[in-house]
Amino acid sequence: MFRVPRLAATATAAVALAVSVPGPTAAGEPAAPGPRVVARFDFALGRTPENIALEPDGSANLTWSFARQIVNVDKRGTTRILATLPAVANPDTPVIGAAAAMGIARAHDGTLYVTYATGTSETGVWRVRNDGSAPVRIAQLPADGFPNGLALDEECGVLYVADSVLGTVWRVPQEGGTPTAWATGTALQPLAAPDGVVGANGLKVHNGAVWVSNTDRRTLLRIPVRADKSAGPVETRATGLAWIDDFAFTGHDDTVLAALIMDNVLALVRPDGTHETVLDQQDGLSNPTSVAVRGKTVYVPSASYFTTVKDPNLLLARLDAK
């Protein structure tokens, strides 16, 4: 069990946080603390989990980036392939070269939306219905971009996409159509060459704002959504988050769990911007790419993109307020 210092929950109260998960036990036995890997995947087959969206039953929908697939994994680790995005001739995706399924978001009716980065005209947002029909592209994004993190604001009927190369947050109608460059600027861009690789990466809609991580700049950003739905000024909410990928909020306040991909770390980021490691490689993380939280359960996919020992997996932990 990993504990972190006191975390401001409100202006008048505070809680301590622990990240753990009880492993399977025999009936009547006390639960054993500690995170656990519930599913492992085959790196050689491109089954590298990149992003996650949860189902009401607690199962996890994942994008397997290099397999170009969307899968569902239940809490016992049983995996079902839901859809495969179409193969692309001569993919030329910036940064990675290969075609890759990236961000994923789920609508209340079970429809899934996925970003597909290919370096070709197939790049964009794709829709995967839960009726077994083939995936359909609903919005085309620039071939020279790298659509990555994805979030759905179902109340407004829009999707937001973080473009890691073009340093842009795109706004796409949920039913499909022409994307709009909703937010741009230096804070969203990668660093200049030769140091720059990935700018805007993870993305979430939370408390009237679009939140974005910038991997190169090691930052967590907040972009207010104005009354007319335009983007407000970009605010930097945390710095020093080395290799931050995607992230998730732990509840109603602005506390975040962030995947630090190259450091094999899950970090707790407090509303004041301070941060602390809560899980690491010893717990089973292997280049964690994203995070999801449902109640007290924390889900962390790892892709093993850069580790010597390839162990892509899905890890579950427990979030406890003490």
Side-chain angles (χ1 to χ4, degrees), residues 3-36:
R3 298 184 184 276
V4 301
R6 295 181 68 81
L7 162 69
T10 68
T12 58
V15 295
L17 203 82
V19 176
S20 66
V21 68
T25 60
E29 292 183 359
R36 64 187 176 104

mmCIF file of all heavy atoms in Angstrom, residues 3-36:
data_model
loop_
_atom_site.group_PDB
_atom_site.id
_atom_site.type_symbol
_atom_site.label_atom_id
_atom_site.label_comp_id
_atom_site.label_asym_id
_atom_site.label_seq_id
_atom_site.Cartn_x
_atom_site.Cartn_y
_atom_site.Cartn_z
ATOM 1 N N ARG A 3 1.092 5.283 0.563
ATOM 2 C CA ARG A 3 0.380 6.410 1.146
ATOM 3 C C ARG A 3 1.065 7.696 0.721
ATOM 4 O O ARG A 3 2.275 7.738 0.541
ATOM 5 C CB ARG A 3 0.354 6.321 2.671
ATOM 6 C CG ARG A 3 -0.377 5.076 3.163
ATOM 7 C CD ARG A 3 -0.476 5.080 4.686
ATOM 8 N NE ARG A 3 -1.083 3.835 5.141
ATOM 9 C CZ ARG A 3 -2.381 3.611 5.199
ATOM 10 N NH1 ARG A 3 -3.215 4.551 4.821
ATOM 11 N NH2 ARG A 3 -2.856 2.466 5.622
ATOM 12 N N VAL A 4 0.289 8.746 0.588
ATOM 13 C CA VAL A 4 0.846 10.042 0.222
ATOM 14 C C VAL A 4 0.457 11.047 1.291
ATOM 15 O O VAL A 4 -0.466 10.816 2.067
ATOM 16 C CB VAL A 4 0.333 10.509 -1.153
ATOM 17 C CG1 VAL A 4 0.703 9.508 -2.203
ATOM 18 C CG2 VAL A 4 -1.161 10.727 -1.153
ATOM 19 N N PRO A 5 1.163 12.170 1.375
ATOM 20 C CA PRO A 5 0.844 13.166 2.389
ATOM 21 C C PRO A 5 -0.578 13.699 2.234
ATOM 22 O O PRO A 5 -1.261 13.453 1.244
ATOM 23 C CB PRO A 5 1.881 14.263 2.128
ATOM 24 C CG PRO A 5 3.011 13.553 1.469
ATOM 25 C CD PRO A 5 2.362 12.496 0.628
ATOM 26 N N ARG A 6 -0.993 14.495 3.211
ATOM 27 C CA ARG A 6 -2.369 14.972 3.246
ATOM 28 C C ARG A 6 -2.715 15.773 2.007
ATOM 29 O O ARG A 6 -1.925 16.537 1.493
ATOM 30 C CB ARG A 6 -2.586 15.807 4.509
ATOM 31 C CG ARG A 6 -2.437 14.966 5.769
ATOM 32 C CD ARG A 6 -2.682 15.771 7.017
ATOM 33 N NE ARG A 6 -4.074 16.187 7.127
ATOM 34 C CZ ARG A 6 -5.046 15.406 7.581
ATOM 35 N NH1 ARG A 6 -4.796 14.175 7.927
ATOM 36 N NH2 ARG A 6 -6.277 15.853 7.678
ATOM 37 N N LEU A 7 -3.936 15.563 1.541
ATOM 38 C CA LEU A 7 -4.397 16.103 0.275
ATOM 39 C C LEU A 7 -5.586 17.015 0.530
ATOM 40 O O LEU A 7 -6.576 16.592 1.118
ATOM 41 C CB LEU A 7 -4.817 14.940 -0.632
ATOM 42 C CG LEU A 7 -5.703 15.237 -1.807
ATOM 43 C CD1 LEU A 7 -4.926 16.035 -2.838
ATOM 44 C CD2 LEU A 7 -6.192 13.946 -2.418
ATOM 45 N N ALA A 8 -5.499 18.266 0.094
ATOM 46 C CA ALA A 8 -6.608 19.192 0.317
ATOM 47 C C ALA A 8 -7.811 18.779 -0.505
ATOM 48 O O ALA A 8 -7.775 18.773 -1.715
ATOM 49 C CB ALA A 8 -6.188 20.613 -0.054
ATOM 50 N N ALA A 9 -8.895 18.421 0.169
ATOM 51 C CA ALA A 9 -10.120 18.036 -0.529
ATOM 52 C C ALA A 9 -11.060 19.217 -0.674
ATOM 53 O O ALA A 9 -11.738 19.371 -1.673
ATOM 54 C CB ALA A 9 -10.821 16.914 0.231
ATOM 55 N N THR A 10 -11.121 20.048 0.338
ATOM 56 C CA THR A 10 -11.915 21.274 0.291
ATOM 57 C C THR A 10 -11.141 22.330 1.057
ATOM 58 O O THR A 10 -10.075 22.076 1.593
ATOM 59 C CB THR A 10 -13.294 21.077 0.956
ATOM 60 O OG1 THR A 10 -13.094 20.900 2.354
ATOM 61 C CG2 THR A 10 -14.032 19.890 0.379
ATOM 62 N N ALA A 11 -11.703 23.514 1.128
ATOM 63 C CA ALA A 11 -11.028 24.576 1.860
ATOM 64 C C ALA A 11 -11.002 24.302 3.353
ATOM 65 O O ALA A 11 -10.181 24.856 4.074
ATOM 66 C CB ALA A 11 -11.718 25.905 1.594
ATOM 67 N N THR A 12 -11.874 23.439 3.833
ATOM 68 C CA THR A 12 -11.981 23.237 5.274
ATOM 69 C C THR A 12 -11.683 21.820 5.712
ATOM 70 O O THR A 12 -11.709 21.517 6.897
ATOM 71 C CB THR A 12 -13.403 23.589 5.740
ATOM 72 O OG1 THR A 12 -14.345 22.772 5.045
ATOM 73 C CG2 THR A 12 -13.715 25.041 5.468
ATOM 74 N N ALA A 13 -11.415 20.901 4.775
ATOM 75 C CA ALA A 13 -11.185 19.514 5.152
ATOM 76 C C ALA A 13 -10.057 18.926 4.335
ATOM 77 O O ALA A 13 -9.711 19.429 3.280
ATOM 78 C CB ALA A 13 -12.469 18.685 4.941
ATOM 79 N N ALA A 14 -9.485 17.860 4.843
ATOM 80 C CA ALA A 14 -8.405 17.200 4.124
ATOM 81 C C ALA A 14 -8.527 15.707 4.358
ATOM 82 O O ALA A 14 -9.091 15.257 5.342
ATOM 83 C CB ALA A 14 -7.044 17.695 4.600
ATOM 84 N N VAL A 15 -7.981 14.925 3.430
ATOM 85 C CA VAL A 15 -7.974 13.480 3.573
ATOM 86 C C VAL A 15 -6.589 12.981 3.224
ATOM 87 O O VAL A 15 -5.830 13.632 2.525
ATOM 88 C CB VAL A 15 -9.007 12.791 2.634
ATOM 89 C CG1 VAL A 15 -10.402 13.182 3.019
ATOM 90 C CG2 VAL A 15 -8.728 13.106 1.183
ATOM 91 N N ALA A 16 -6.251 11.834 3.736
ATOM 92 C CA ALA A 16 -5.042 11.146 3.291
ATOM 93 C C ALA A 16 -5.465 10.140 2.247
ATOM 94 O O ALA A 16 -6.608 9.679 2.234
ATOM 95 C CB ALA A 16 -4.365 10.461 4.472
ATOM 96 N N LEU A 17 -4.553 9.792 1.364
ATOM 97 C CA LEU A 17 -4.908 8.928 0.247
ATOM 98 C C LEU A 17 -4.024 7.697 0.244
ATOM 99 O O LEU A 17 -2.833 7.780 0.527
ATOM 100 C CB LEU A 17 -4.708 9.684 -1.054
ATOM 101 C CG LEU A 17 -5.503 9.177 -2.248
ATOM 102 C CD1 LEU A 17 -6.912 9.732 -2.190
ATOM 103 C CD2 LEU A 17 -4.841 9.599 -3.525
ATOM 104 N N ALA A 18 -4.599 6.562 -0.066
ATOM 105 C CA ALA A 18 -3.832 5.339 -0.255
ATOM 106 C C ALA A 18 -4.243 4.722 -1.569
ATOM 107 O O ALA A 18 -5.403 4.800 -1.953
ATOM 108 C CB ALA A 18 -4.091 4.360 0.886
ATOM 109 N N VAL A 19 -3.308 4.138 -2.277
ATOM 110 C CA VAL A 19 -3.618 3.408 -3.487
ATOM 111 C C VAL A 19 -3.234 1.963 -3.256
ATOM 112 O O VAL A 19 -2.084 1.646 -2.989
ATOM 113 C CB VAL A 19 -2.860 3.967 -4.706
ATOM 114 C CG1 VAL A 19 -3.135 3.123 -5.936
ATOM 115 C CG2 VAL A 19 -3.282 5.401 -4.969
ATOM 116 N N SER A 20 -4.223 1.085 -3.292
ATOM 117 C CA SER A 20 -3.991 -0.333 -3.058
ATOM 118 C C SER A 20 -5.120 -1.092 -3.703
ATOM 119 O O SER A 20 -6.059 -0.503 -4.230
ATOM 120 C CB SER A 20 -3.958 -0.642 -1.552
ATOM 121 O OG SER A 20 -5.223 -0.413 -0.983
ATOM 122 N N VAL A 21 -5.052 -2.400 -3.703
ATOM 123 C CA VAL A 21 -6.194 -3.202 -4.131
ATOM 124 C C VAL A 21 -6.112 -4.557 -3.462
ATOM 125 O O VAL A 21 -5.040 -5.143 -3.363
ATOM 126 C CB VAL A 21 -6.267 -3.380 -5.663
ATOM 127 C CG1 VAL A 21 -5.165 -4.227 -6.198
ATOM 128 C CG2 VAL A 21 -7.618 -3.945 -6.074
ATOM 129 N N PRO A 22 -7.214 -5.062 -2.932
ATOM 130 C CA PRO A 22 -7.179 -6.401 -2.363
ATOM 131 C C PRO A 22 -7.091 -7.440 -3.463
ATOM 132 O O PRO A 22 -7.821 -7.387 -4.441
ATOM 133 C CB PRO A 22 -8.508 -6.500 -1.595
ATOM 134 C CG PRO A 22 -9.395 -5.499 -2.240
ATOM 135 C CD PRO A 22 -8.508 -4.408 -2.755
ATOM 136 N N GLY A 23 -6.180 -8.363 -3.322
ATOM 137 C CA GLY A 23 -6.093 -9.460 -4.271
ATOM 138 C C GLY A 23 -7.151 -10.497 -3.971
ATOM 139 O O GLY A 23 -7.832 -10.446 -2.950
ATOM 140 N N PRO A 24 -7.310 -11.491 -4.860
ATOM 141 C CA PRO A 24 -8.320 -12.526 -4.629
ATOM 142 C C PRO A 24 -7.980 -13.349 -3.393
ATOM 143 O O PRO A 24 -6.838 -13.716 -3.171
ATOM 144 C CB PRO A 24 -8.251 -13.362 -5.917
ATOM 145 C CG PRO A 24 -6.884 -13.109 -6.461
ATOM 146 C CD PRO A 24 -6.536 -11.709 -6.075
ATOM 147 N N THR A 25 -8.956 -13.617 -2.547
ATOM 148 C CA THR A 25 -8.751 -14.391 -1.333
ATOM 149 C C THR A 25 -9.836 -15.438 -1.210
ATOM 150 O O THR A 25 -10.895 -15.352 -1.826
ATOM 151 C CB THR A 25 -8.802 -13.486 -0.088
ATOM 152 O OG1 THR A 25 -10.080 -12.849 -0.022
ATOM 153 C CG2 THR A 25 -7.728 -12.395 -0.153
ATOM 154 N N ALA A 26 -9.563 -16.430 -0.389
ATOM 155 C CA ALA A 26 -10.578 -17.433 -0.111
ATOM 156 C C ALA A 26 -11.657 -16.829 0.769
ATOM 157 O O ALA A 26 -11.437 -15.836 1.461
ATOM 158 C CB ALA A 26 -9.931 -18.624 0.591
ATOM 159 N N ALA A 27 -12.830 -17.426 0.744
ATOM 160 C CA ALA A 27 -13.954 -16.906 1.511
ATOM 161 C C ALA A 27 -13.584 -16.804 2.985
ATOM 162 O O ALA A 27 -13.034 -17.731 3.568
ATOM 163 C CB ALA A 27 -15.171 -17.813 1.329
ATOM 164 N N GLY A 28 -13.856 -15.656 3.577
ATOM 165 C CA GLY A 28 -13.600 -15.469 4.993
ATOM 166 C C GLY A 28 -12.210 -14.990 5.326
ATOM 167 O O GLY A 28 -11.941 -14.615 6.460
ATOM 168 N N GLU A 29 -11.278 -15.021 4.358
ATOM 169 C CA GLU A 29 -9.927 -14.558 4.623
ATOM 170 C C GLU A 29 -9.839 -13.054 4.424
ATOM 171 O O GLU A 29 -10.541 -12.497 3.582
ATOM 172 C CB GLU A 29 -8.937 -15.252 3.679
ATOM 173 C CG GLU A 29 -8.775 -16.736 3.928
ATOM 174 C CD GLU A 29 -7.738 -17.345 3.015
ATOM 175 O OE1 GLU A 29 -7.174 -16.599 2.182
ATOM 176 O OE2 GLU A 29 -7.494 -18.544 3.126
ATOM 177 N N PRO A 30 -8.971 -12.385 5.177
ATOM 178 C CA PRO A 30 -8.822 -10.946 4.975
ATOM 179 C C PRO A 30 -8.203 -10.649 3.621
ATOM 180 O O PRO A 30 -7.409 -11.435 3.098
ATOM 181 C CB PRO A 30 -7.883 -10.529 6.114
ATOM 182 C CG PRO A 30 -7.131 -11.774 6.469
ATOM 183 C CD PRO A 30 -8.101 -12.903 6.245
ATOM 184 N N ALA A 31 -8.596 -9.509 3.041
ATOM 185 C CA ALA A 31 -8.057 -9.124 1.743
ATOM 186 C C ALA A 31 -6.582 -8.773 1.869
ATOM 187 O O ALA A 31 -6.142 -8.153 2.828
ATOM 188 C CB ALA A 31 -8.822 -7.920 1.203
ATOM 189 N N ALA A 32 -5.796 -9.215 0.900
ATOM 190 C CA ALA A 32 -4.369 -8.899 0.879
ATOM 191 C C ALA A 32 -4.164 -7.571 0.168
ATOM 192 O O ALA A 32 -4.664 -7.379 -0.933
ATOM 193 C CB ALA A 32 -3.608 -10.001 0.150
ATOM 194 N N PRO A 33 -3.457 -6.612 0.800
ATOM 195 C CA PRO A 33 -3.264 -5.316 0.152
ATOM 196 C C PRO A 33 -2.289 -5.414 -1.008
ATOM 197 O O PRO A 33 -1.481 -6.328 -1.086
ATOM 198 C CB PRO A 33 -2.702 -4.452 1.277
ATOM 199 C CG PRO A 33 -1.987 -5.417 2.165
ATOM 200 C CD PRO A 33 -2.796 -6.682 2.106
ATOM 201 N N GLY A 34 -2.372 -4.451 -1.895
ATOM 202 C CA GLY A 34 -1.408 -4.363 -2.977
ATOM 203 C C GLY A 34 -2.071 -4.329 -4.323
ATOM 204 O O GLY A 34 -3.065 -5.012 -4.563
ATOM 205 N N PRO A 35 -1.541 -3.507 -5.244
ATOM 206 C CA PRO A 35 -2.043 -3.489 -6.612
ATOM 207 C C PRO A 35 -1.849 -4.851 -7.271
ATOM 208 O O PRO A 35 -0.976 -5.620 -6.879
ATOM 209 C CB PRO A 35 -1.172 -2.420 -7.286
ATOM 210 C CG PRO A 35 -0.563 -1.654 -6.158
ATOM 211 C CD PRO A 35 -0.425 -2.612 -5.027
ATOM 212 N N ARG A 36 -2.636 -5.123 -8.285
ATOM 213 C CA ARG A 36 -2.465 -6.394 -8.996
ATOM 214 C C ARG A 36 -2.719 -6.221 -10.482
ATOM 215 O O ARG A 36 -3.590 -5.463 -10.906
ATOM 216 C CB ARG A 36 -3.396 -7.481 -8.433
ATOM 217 C CG ARG A 36 -4.873 -7.212 -8.596
ATOM 218 C CD ARG A 36 -5.710 -8.237 -7.858
ATOM 219 N NE ARG A 36 -7.132 -7.930 -7.921
ATOM 220 C CZ ARG A 36 -8.004 -8.560 -8.712
ATOM 221 N NH1 ARG A 36 -7.598 -9.520 -9.515
ATOM 222 N NH2 ARG A 36 -9.275 -8.233 -8.705
#
